[in-house]
Amino acid sequence: MPFKQLGKDSDRPVASRVALVGPPNSLKTTAIVKTWPRQYQDRDTLVILSYPGEKGWETIPRDEPNLISLVWEVEDSTKPLTPTVVVREVESVTAQVLSGAYGKVATFAGDGAHKLYQWYFQQALAEKIANAPRDWDGNEETFVGPAYGQAHKDYGLYLTKILSSSVPYAVMTFWQGLDREDPLNLSKKAPRAYFPDLPGMMARNAVGEFSATLFSEVSKPEMSGLVRGSWITRIEGIHQGIGIKVNPDIAQKIPVRIPQHFGVLQRYMAGDAEGAKLLTAHLKSPRPVNSSATLLQSQASSITTDPAKEKTT
């Protein structure tokens, strides 16, 4: 049935819905590949869906077990590619993944979700223009506002289908975007802050859809070549569109910055601060990596335990 009662014996895992926000090359995709669960109960697959336009798939290994990467590719560039075709294909493949067509999925990862929004907007705008009244003056700006409203609804519904699915874990990545701290302050000098790179209220609404929205950052390479990735867990300065939904008693024990490791996040959200600290200490063991853009993404910035052996709370 649609509604399910949650209790202490519920099989709904902690930290089941996460959004990673940050600039390019901040190890968002790498963190998913290296640390998100590939096994949960009888499920044994991590599926990463790279949305049309997303380039992070180059960092995803092609020969690892229990890992499926789905990448957008245009077979015939001579045929017209409409937003409706793109949206329909994305929704179809997503439904296939969630229904088990690619195996029993433990984690669904949507990579580059900010780029998917633009396809929904272009679809909505095209529909508004196609249904324009006869006396329309040909100015597309007339329909931009209504198109954004429709795109917000359609994109939000797509997110809801994923986040309300029975897949144990879902994680999505977004680039960062600068937006007004106060959306009603239209001054050119209005203070700005980082949110997911989505337009208008969708940037704020999307944050509320996840149990944890984290900001990804990477340190400058040390002399040894070591780089360290971390997640900001709560509002701090210019970083506004982030936060974790947990009991206040648990929240106060979560540091502002934690390593980019799902096991650490899950332990903190489950109230196991000591377990999270022990894992964090283990992750601090040095592992030098080349600081070039390619290797920075293709290698983890911290030691990773086997996702299959991760503690599931």
Side-chain angles (χ1 to χ4, degrees):
M1 60 182 179
F3 287 96
K4 187 175 183 179
Q5 181 174 344
L6 295 179
K8 65 178 182 178
D9 297 324
S10 172
D11 61 358
R12 187 79 168 187
V14 175
S16 64
R17 302 293 185 260
V18 178
L20 302 179
V21 182
N25 298 333
S26 58
L27 298 172
K28 299 183 295 296
T29 307
T30 296
I32 294 172
V33 171
K34 295 291 185 180
T35 75
W36 246 261
R38 299 188 191 183
Q39 291 190 344
Y40 183 79
Q41 297 180 350
D42 65 333
R43 297 171 179 260
D44 59 1
T45 304
L46 162 61
V47 175
I48 302 178
L49 175 59
S50 297
Y51 293 114
E54 172 58 33
K55 307 300 190 300
W57 56 267
E58 290 282 7
T59 70
I60 303 172
R62 304 184 184 189
D63 57 354
E64 288 193 6
N66 309 102
L67 172 62
I68 295 175
S69 175
L70 301 175
V71 179
W72 176 264
E73 183 176 271
V74 178
E75 296 181 355
D76 187 352
S77 60
T78 64
K79 294 183 178 180
L81 185 64
T82 67
T84 298
V85 169
V86 174
V87 169
R88 186 180 300 146
E89 180 64 18
V90 169
E91 293 184 344
S92 175
V93 171
T94 301
Q96 291 174 32
V97 173
L98 299 180
S99 63
Y102 289 87
K104 295 183 177 181
V105 178
T107 295
F108 171 90
D111 202 15
H114 58 289
K115 295 189 176 181
L116 177 61
Y117 179 90
Q118 290 303 318
W119 293 106
Y120 275 98
F121 169 71
Q122 292 298 333
Q123 173 183 250
L125 182 60
E127 290 176 352
K128 299 296 182 184
I129 292 175
N131 294 293
R134 292 182 178 180
D135 59 351
W136 177 49
D137 62 5
N139 183 6
E140 291 187 5
E141 291 297 321
T142 304
F143 300 111
V144 168
Y148 272 121
Q150 186 61 49
H152 280 17
K153 294 178 182 179
D154 295 341
Y155 183 79
L157 180 59
Y158 174 78
L159 293 182
T160 297
K161 289 178 179 178
I162 295 172
L163 302 179
S164 62
S165 73
S166 61
V167 171
Y169 299 99
V171 54
M172 306 189 81
T173 71
F174 302 83
W175 278 0
Q176 68 185 32
L178 273 177
D179 200 359
R180 294 181 178 86
E181 288 187 19
D182 180 0
L184 299 180
N185 186 348
L186 302 182
S187 169
K188 292 183 178 180
K189 296 183 179 180
R192 294 177 178 271
Y194 287 132
F195 291 89
D197 190 16
L198 297 168
M201 287 306 297
M202 180 53 65
R204 292 165 172 77
N205 294 344
V207 173
E209 298 291 334
F210 298 87
S211 55
T213 301
L214 312 170
F215 189 88
S216 300
E217 61 179 8
V218 178
S219 68
K220 293 182 179 179
E222 300 175 2
M223 292 294 293
S224 63
L226 178 70
V227 293
R228 299 184 185 276
S230 61
W231 289 328
I232 302 177
T233 64
R234 67 187 67 168
I235 292 175
E236 180 192 56
I238 198 172
H239 304 97
Q240 294 290 309
I242 51 180
I244 298 178
K245 298 176 182 177
V246 289
N247 183 294
D249 293 335
I250 294 176
Q252 66 182 359
K253 297 179 181 179
I254 303 177
V256 174
R257 284 172 172 78
I258 62 175
Q260 288 188 8
H261 193 287
F262 177 80
V264 174
L265 172 67
Q266 188 178 51
R267 285 164 173 77
Y268 271 122
M269 290 185 66
D272 182 14
E274 290 305 313
K277 292 176 182 177
L278 287 173
L279 180 54
T280 298
H282 173 67
L283 297 175
K284 288 183 178 180
S285 300
R287 172 175 287 190
V289 297
N290 189 302
S291 61
S292 68
T294 300
L295 290 181
L296 183 64
Q297 286 256 1
S298 64
Q299 300 185 41
S301 61
S302 59
I303 294 176
T304 304
T305 55
D306 182 355
K309 297 179 181 178
E310 285 292 334
K311 174 183 175 183
T312 302
T313 306

